[in-house]
Amino acid sequence: MALIALAADKGSPGVTTAAVALAAVWPRRTLLAETDPAGGDLVYRSAAAHGGQLNPNTGMLSIAATARRGLVPDQLWDHTQPLAGGLEVLVGLGMAEQAAGLAGIWPTLGRAFAQLAESPHAPADVIADCGRISGETPALELFPHANLIVLVSRTEPEAIARVRDRAAALGARLHGASRGGAAQIGAPLVGVLLVADAGTSAKLVHQVNDMLVAGQTGARVIGTLADDPAGAEQLAGRRRGRLDKSLLIRSARKVTVDIHQSYGGAWAAPAPGPTAGAGR
């Protein structure tokens, strides 16, 4: 199993929606962690399993004191809450100012997230919503512990150019660069997830992959997520309908299948755990 970190370079391409959608259809037990230092969104957009609101004080905020004394991966479950549908979430900070309370413990969190896959009691993959990573956001300290870093991007030309440059910068930061400037390929891998209209996605994948290769980024497109506002509203519980039939969830299922076909063998844990989560 694995730690998958989702992030964006700039703007609002839908990182949280992408993280929830992928976690909801992930084929193994999954913990969705809101690790955006600017604050999480799920408290405001999603209902808890009991029908009320999520508790903003149980999650990243409550885990800070625990992590300063050391963090055993299974302790993560003490700070999670189930969403309506069953997906287990580690709720994010309420505001950016609270991120100061996590100073110095981001690597500890990264190790715990990565090691949760090997828990003898409740193993799970972790999908981390890291928000925007321009500048020196502390969420970058999670990345060395990840198996896959996914940059979420829209398809406007400026967005593609930015994600290409961000992928190159991340590759150089994590893996170093050769004499010619190209990022070396290694773990964690860097992938790009395009949020696109379903009718143009296949052509876009080829075009963006060509740009990533030409830019010597070491990254590649791992899939496309449907630009589906109605499906996003259903996922957040603000609109009725068959969520499993939405373009968003159907495309998320394909992305997870492609990820596991490409990388799953390398991430296999010795003893798979129980499955849980929304949309299964």
Side-chain angles (χ1 to χ4, degrees):
M1 298 189 190
L3 166 60
I4 314 296
L6 273 67
D9 178 77
K10 188 179 180 182
S12 301
V15 176
T16 298
T17 295
V20 175
L22 294 180
V25 299
W26 204 252
R28 299 184 287 214
R29 187 177 187 182
T30 310
L31 170 60
L32 173 63
E34 281 194 296
T35 58
D36 185 348
D41 293 327
L42 292 179
V43 163
Y44 306 106
R45 70 163 67 177
S46 299
H50 53 67
Q53 291 184 322
L54 293 164
N55 183 349
N57 297 314
T58 299
M60 289 288 286
L61 194 60
S62 64
I63 209 169
T66 301
R68 293 198 181 282
R69 299 188 296 269
L71 189 62
V72 176
D74 280 334
Q75 290 179 291
L76 293 167
W77 298 118
D78 297 335
H79 303 269
T80 63
Q81 303 175 64
L83 294 180
L87 180 62
E88 296 159 297
V89 301
L90 186 70
V91 170
L93 301 173
M95 59 185 69
E97 288 77 5
Q98 293 175 335
L102 276 74
I105 67 171
W106 292 92
T108 300
L109 287 172
R111 285 190 293 271
F113 290 154
Q115 292 168 3
L116 188 60
E118 301 169 4
S119 163
H121 306 294
D125 288 352
V126 176
I127 294 180
D129 171 6
C130 299
R132 290 186 293 273
I133 57 167
S134 53
E136 287 298 316
T137 172
L140 288 168
E141 297 178 50
L142 299 177
F143 287 6
H145 305 282
N147 298 82
L148 177 66
I149 298 165
V150 178
L151 297 175
V152 182
S153 176
R154 301 258 174 197
T155 57
E156 295 82 5
E158 63 272 20
I160 297 301
R162 283 187 176 277
V163 81
R164 174 201 61 200
D165 294 345
R166 178 59 59 185
L170 275 178
R173 179 187 182 117
L174 293 166
H175 310 134
S178 67
R179 184 175 299 176
Q184 301 297 299
I185 297 175
L189 299 171
V190 179
V192 173
L193 178 63
L194 298 173
V195 179
D197 179 85
T200 61
S201 60
K203 181 178 179 181
L204 281 168
V205 166
H206 292 296
Q207 291 175 339
V208 176
N209 264 331
D210 287 346
M211 288 182 65
L212 294 172
V213 171
Q216 297 182 307
T217 65
R220 70 178 182 87
V221 177
I222 62 166
T224 58
L225 202 63
D227 187 0
D228 179 16
E233 290 288 301
Q234 290 175 330
L235 187 65
R238 295 193 291 260
R239 181 172 179 153
R240 295 182 179 274
R242 288 287 304 275
L243 179 59
D244 60 321
K245 299 296 184 182
S246 69
L247 289 175
L248 174 62
I249 291 299
R250 286 161 56 191
S251 61
R253 287 190 186 280
K254 184 178 188 311
V255 171
T256 61
V257 168
D258 290 346
I259 288 175
H260 279 267
Q261 285 181 344
S262 297
Y263 312 114
W267 300 342
T275 58
R280 291 179 176 82

PDB file of all heavy atoms in Angstrom, residues 131-151:
ATOM      1  N   GLY A 131      -3.115  20.640  -0.990  1.00  0.00           N
ATOM      2  CA  GLY A 131      -3.424  21.995  -1.426  1.00  0.00           C
ATOM      3  C   GLY A 131      -2.399  22.539  -2.410  1.00  0.00           C
ATOM      4  O   GLY A 131      -1.768  21.804  -3.163  1.00  0.00           O
ATOM      5  N   ARG A 132      -2.230  23.847  -2.383  1.00  0.00           N
ATOM      6  CA  ARG A 132      -1.266  24.492  -3.284  1.00  0.00           C
ATOM      7  C   ARG A 132       0.138  24.434  -2.679  1.00  0.00           C
ATOM      8  O   ARG A 132       0.302  24.650  -1.477  1.00  0.00           O
ATOM      9  CB  ARG A 132      -1.670  25.952  -3.550  1.00  0.00           C
ATOM     10  CG  ARG A 132      -2.918  26.079  -4.399  1.00  0.00           C
ATOM     11  CD  ARG A 132      -3.196  27.522  -4.764  1.00  0.00           C
ATOM     12  NE  ARG A 132      -3.556  28.313  -3.595  1.00  0.00           N
ATOM     13  CZ  ARG A 132      -4.796  28.426  -3.125  1.00  0.00           C
ATOM     14  NH1 ARG A 132      -5.788  27.782  -3.709  1.00  0.00           N
ATOM     15  NH2 ARG A 132      -5.047  29.174  -2.076  1.00  0.00           N
ATOM     16  N   ILE A 133       1.118  24.176  -3.516  1.00  0.00           N
ATOM     17  CA  ILE A 133       2.484  23.983  -3.014  1.00  0.00           C
ATOM     18  C   ILE A 133       3.473  24.988  -3.564  1.00  0.00           C
ATOM     19  O   ILE A 133       4.673  24.773  -3.508  1.00  0.00           O
ATOM     20  CB  ILE A 133       2.982  22.554  -3.309  1.00  0.00           C
ATOM     21  CG1 ILE A 133       2.911  22.256  -4.820  1.00  0.00           C
ATOM     22  CG2 ILE A 133       2.194  21.542  -2.518  1.00  0.00           C
ATOM     23  CD1 ILE A 133       3.662  21.008  -5.194  1.00  0.00           C
ATOM     24  N   SER A 134       2.990  26.122  -4.089  1.00  0.00           N
ATOM     25  CA  SER A 134       3.926  27.155  -4.517  1.00  0.00           C
ATOM     26  C   SER A 134       4.607  27.742  -3.290  1.00  0.00           C
ATOM     27  O   SER A 134       4.032  27.798  -2.201  1.00  0.00           O
ATOM     28  CB  SER A 134       3.179  28.253  -5.291  1.00  0.00           C
ATOM     29  OG  SER A 134       2.087  28.732  -4.547  1.00  0.00           O
ATOM     30  N   GLY A 135       5.842  28.147  -3.431  1.00  0.00           N
ATOM     31  CA  GLY A 135       6.591  28.642  -2.296  1.00  0.00           C
ATOM     32  C   GLY A 135       7.156  27.501  -1.469  1.00  0.00           C
ATOM     33  O   GLY A 135       7.379  26.398  -1.961  1.00  0.00           O
ATOM     34  N   GLU A 136       7.341  27.738  -0.195  1.00  0.00           N
ATOM     35  CA  GLU A 136       7.937  26.744   0.700  1.00  0.00           C
ATOM     36  C   GLU A 136       6.894  26.234   1.693  1.00  0.00           C
ATOM     37  O   GLU A 136       7.100  26.266   2.902  1.00  0.00           O
ATOM     38  CB  GLU A 136       9.136  27.346   1.432  1.00  0.00           C
ATOM     39  CG  GLU A 136      10.353  27.535   0.555  1.00  0.00           C
ATOM     40  CD  GLU A 136      10.889  26.226  -0.016  1.00  0.00           C
ATOM     41  OE1 GLU A 136      10.978  25.244   0.738  1.00  0.00           O
ATOM     42  OE2 GLU A 136      11.211  26.202  -1.208  1.00  0.00           O
ATOM     43  N   THR A 137       5.759  25.796   1.203  1.00  0.00           N
ATOM     44  CA  THR A 137       4.743  25.248   2.080  1.00  0.00           C
ATOM     45  C   THR A 137       5.289  24.058   2.861  1.00  0.00           C
ATOM     46  O   THR A 137       6.018  23.226   2.308  1.00  0.00           O
ATOM     47  CB  THR A 137       3.497  24.812   1.281  1.00  0.00           C
ATOM     48  OG1 THR A 137       2.605  24.104   2.145  1.00  0.00           O
ATOM     49  CG2 THR A 137       3.879  23.898   0.136  1.00  0.00           C
ATOM     50  N   PRO A 138       4.961  23.953   4.158  1.00  0.00           N
ATOM     51  CA  PRO A 138       5.490  22.826   4.941  1.00  0.00           C
ATOM     52  C   PRO A 138       4.994  21.470   4.474  1.00  0.00           C
ATOM     53  O   PRO A 138       5.600  20.444   4.806  1.00  0.00           O
ATOM     54  CB  PRO A 138       5.009  23.136   6.364  1.00  0.00           C
ATOM     55  CG  PRO A 138       3.879  24.087   6.217  1.00  0.00           C
ATOM     56  CD  PRO A 138       4.197  24.897   4.991  1.00  0.00           C
ATOM     57  N   ALA A 139       3.912  21.431   3.690  1.00  0.00           N
ATOM     58  CA  ALA A 139       3.425  20.151   3.170  1.00  0.00           C
ATOM     59  C   ALA A 139       4.464  19.472   2.289  1.00  0.00           C
ATOM     60  O   ALA A 139       4.422  18.252   2.088  1.00  0.00           O
ATOM     61  CB  ALA A 139       2.126  20.349   2.400  1.00  0.00           C
ATOM     62  N   LEU A 140       5.416  20.237   1.761  1.00  0.00           N
ATOM     63  CA  LEU A 140       6.485  19.647   0.961  1.00  0.00           C
ATOM     64  C   LEU A 140       7.294  18.623   1.766  1.00  0.00           C
ATOM     65  O   LEU A 140       7.908  17.728   1.186  1.00  0.00           O
ATOM     66  CB  LEU A 140       7.421  20.741   0.436  1.00  0.00           C
ATOM     67  CG  LEU A 140       6.877  21.648  -0.684  1.00  0.00           C
ATOM     68  CD1 LEU A 140       7.796  22.832  -0.884  1.00  0.00           C
ATOM     69  CD2 LEU A 140       6.713  20.863  -1.978  1.00  0.00           C
ATOM     70  N   GLU A 141       7.275  18.754   3.094  1.00  0.00           N
ATOM     71  CA  GLU A 141       8.027  17.826   3.925  1.00  0.00           C
ATOM     72  C   GLU A 141       7.395  16.436   3.977  1.00  0.00           C
ATOM     73  O   GLU A 141       8.015  15.481   4.446  1.00  0.00           O
ATOM     74  CB  GLU A 141       8.169  18.398   5.335  1.00  0.00           C
ATOM     75  CG  GLU A 141       8.966  19.695   5.368  1.00  0.00           C
ATOM     76  CD  GLU A 141       9.065  20.275   6.765  1.00  0.00           C
ATOM     77  OE1 GLU A 141       9.424  19.530   7.699  1.00  0.00           O
ATOM     78  OE2 GLU A 141       8.765  21.477   6.931  1.00  0.00           O
ATOM     79  N   LEU A 142       6.157  16.322   3.486  1.00  0.00           N
ATOM     80  CA  LEU A 142       5.531  15.004   3.364  1.00  0.00           C
ATOM     81  C   LEU A 142       6.040  14.250   2.145  1.00  0.00           C
ATOM     82  O   LEU A 142       6.040  13.016   2.116  1.00  0.00           O
ATOM     83  CB  LEU A 142       4.004  15.137   3.239  1.00  0.00           C
ATOM     84  CG  LEU A 142       3.220  15.773   4.370  1.00  0.00           C
ATOM     85  CD1 LEU A 142       1.744  15.868   3.976  1.00  0.00           C
ATOM     86  CD2 LEU A 142       3.372  14.980   5.656  1.00  0.00           C
ATOM     87  N   PHE A 143       6.466  14.986   1.121  1.00  0.00           N
ATOM     88  CA  PHE A 143       6.706  14.393  -0.190  1.00  0.00           C
ATOM     89  C   PHE A 143       7.787  13.319  -0.219  1.00  0.00           C
ATOM     90  O   PHE A 143       7.640  12.324  -0.942  1.00  0.00           O
ATOM     91  CB  PHE A 143       7.009  15.478  -1.216  1.00  0.00           C
ATOM     92  CG  PHE A 143       5.808  16.296  -1.629  1.00  0.00           C
ATOM     93  CD1 PHE A 143       4.589  16.124  -1.009  1.00  0.00           C
ATOM     94  CD2 PHE A 143       5.903  17.240  -2.632  1.00  0.00           C
ATOM     95  CE1 PHE A 143       3.473  16.864  -1.378  1.00  0.00           C
ATOM     96  CE2 PHE A 143       4.800  17.986  -3.024  1.00  0.00           C
ATOM     97  CZ  PHE A 143       3.587  17.798  -2.395  1.00  0.00           C
ATOM     98  N   PRO A 144       8.912  13.463   0.518  1.00  0.00           N
ATOM     99  CA  PRO A 144       9.912  12.386   0.466  1.00  0.00           C
ATOM    100  C   PRO A 144       9.387  11.042   0.949  1.00  0.00           C
ATOM    101  O   PRO A 144       9.978  10.002   0.644  1.00  0.00           O
ATOM    102  CB  PRO A 144      11.024  12.910   1.379  1.00  0.00           C
ATOM    103  CG  PRO A 144      10.873  14.386   1.368  1.00  0.00           C
ATOM    104  CD  PRO A 144       9.391  14.616   1.295  1.00  0.00           C
ATOM    105  N   HIS A 145       8.283  11.032   1.694  1.00  0.00           N
ATOM    106  CA  HIS A 145       7.714   9.789   2.225  1.00  0.00           C
ATOM    107  C   HIS A 145       6.627   9.216   1.312  1.00  0.00           C
ATOM    108  O   HIS A 145       6.138   8.116   1.566  1.00  0.00           O
ATOM    109  CB  HIS A 145       7.134  10.038   3.617  1.00  0.00           C
ATOM    110  CG  HIS A 145       8.118  10.641   4.570  1.00  0.00           C
ATOM    111  ND1 HIS A 145       9.097   9.895   5.198  1.00  0.00           N
ATOM    112  CD2 HIS A 145       8.313  11.923   4.957  1.00  0.00           C
ATOM    113  CE1 HIS A 145       9.835  10.690   5.949  1.00  0.00           C
ATOM    114  NE2 HIS A 145       9.383  11.920   5.827  1.00  0.00           N
ATOM    115  N   ALA A 146       6.264   9.949   0.272  1.00  0.00           N
ATOM    116  CA  ALA A 146       5.183   9.520  -0.621  1.00  0.00           C
ATOM    117  C   ALA A 146       5.691   8.509  -1.647  1.00  0.00           C
ATOM    118  O   ALA A 146       6.873   8.484  -1.990  1.00  0.00           O
ATOM    119  CB  ALA A 146       4.575  10.718  -1.334  1.00  0.00           C
ATOM    120  N   ASN A 147       4.773   7.677  -2.132  1.00  0.00           N
ATOM    121  CA  ASN A 147       5.070   6.795  -3.258  1.00  0.00           C
ATOM    122  C   ASN A 147       4.788   7.481  -4.581  1.00  0.00           C
ATOM    123  O   ASN A 147       5.459   7.227  -5.576  1.00  0.00           O
ATOM    124  CB  ASN A 147       4.236   5.522  -3.170  1.00  0.00           C
ATOM    125  CG  ASN A 147       4.528   4.723  -1.921  1.00  0.00           C
ATOM    126  OD1 ASN A 147       3.996   5.017  -0.865  1.00  0.00           O
ATOM    127  ND2 ASN A 147       5.397   3.732  -2.017  1.00  0.00           N
ATOM    128  N   LEU A 148       3.785   8.362  -4.569  1.00  0.00           N
ATOM    129  CA  LEU A 148       3.389   9.066  -5.782  1.00  0.00           C
ATOM    130  C   LEU A 148       2.903  10.450  -5.403  1.00  0.00           C
ATOM    131  O   LEU A 148       2.083  10.600  -4.494  1.00  0.00           O
ATOM    132  CB  LEU A 148       2.282   8.294  -6.510  1.00  0.00           C
ATOM    133  CG  LEU A 148       1.690   8.938  -7.767  1.00  0.00           C
ATOM    134  CD1 LEU A 148       2.739   9.028  -8.878  1.00  0.00           C
ATOM    135  CD2 LEU A 148       0.472   8.141  -8.258  1.00  0.00           C
ATOM    136  N   ILE A 149       3.432  11.458  -6.096  1.00  0.00           N
ATOM    137  CA  ILE A 149       2.960  12.832  -5.940  1.00  0.00           C
ATOM    138  C   ILE A 149       2.161  13.174  -7.193  1.00  0.00           C
ATOM    139  O   ILE A 149       2.658  13.033  -8.315  1.00  0.00           O
ATOM    140  CB  ILE A 149       4.131  13.807  -5.781  1.00  0.00           C
ATOM    141  CG1 ILE A 149       4.923  13.477  -4.517  1.00  0.00           C
ATOM    142  CG2 ILE A 149       3.641  15.253  -5.744  1.00  0.00           C
ATOM    143  CD1 ILE A 149       6.276  14.144  -4.457  1.00  0.00           C
ATOM    144  N   VAL A 150       0.920  13.588  -7.005  1.00  0.00           N
ATOM    145  CA  VAL A 150       0.020  13.865  -8.127  1.00  0.00           C
ATOM    146  C   VAL A 150      -0.252  15.363  -8.182  1.00  0.00           C
ATOM    147  O   VAL A 150      -0.823  15.933  -7.247  1.00  0.00           O
ATOM    148  CB  VAL A 150      -1.307  13.092  -7.982  1.00  0.00           C
ATOM    149  CG1 VAL A 150      -2.247  13.434  -9.133  1.00  0.00           C
ATOM    150  CG2 VAL A 150      -1.049  11.598  -7.933  1.00  0.00           C
ATOM    151  N   LEU A 151       0.168  16.002  -9.253  1.00  0.00           N
ATOM    152  CA  LEU A 151      -0.117  17.416  -9.481  1.00  0.00           C
ATOM    153  C   LEU A 151      -1.413  17.520 -10.272  1.00  0.00           C
ATOM    154  O   LEU A 151      -1.499  17.019 -11.398  1.00  0.00           O
ATOM    155  CB  LEU A 151       1.030  18.075 -10.245  1.00  0.00           C
ATOM    156  CG  LEU A 151       2.376  18.100  -9.520  1.00  0.00           C
ATOM    157  CD1 LEU A 151       3.455  18.673 -10.433  1.00  0.00           C
ATOM    158  CD2 LEU A 151       2.289  18.900  -8.227  1.00  0.00           C
TER     159      LEU A 151
END
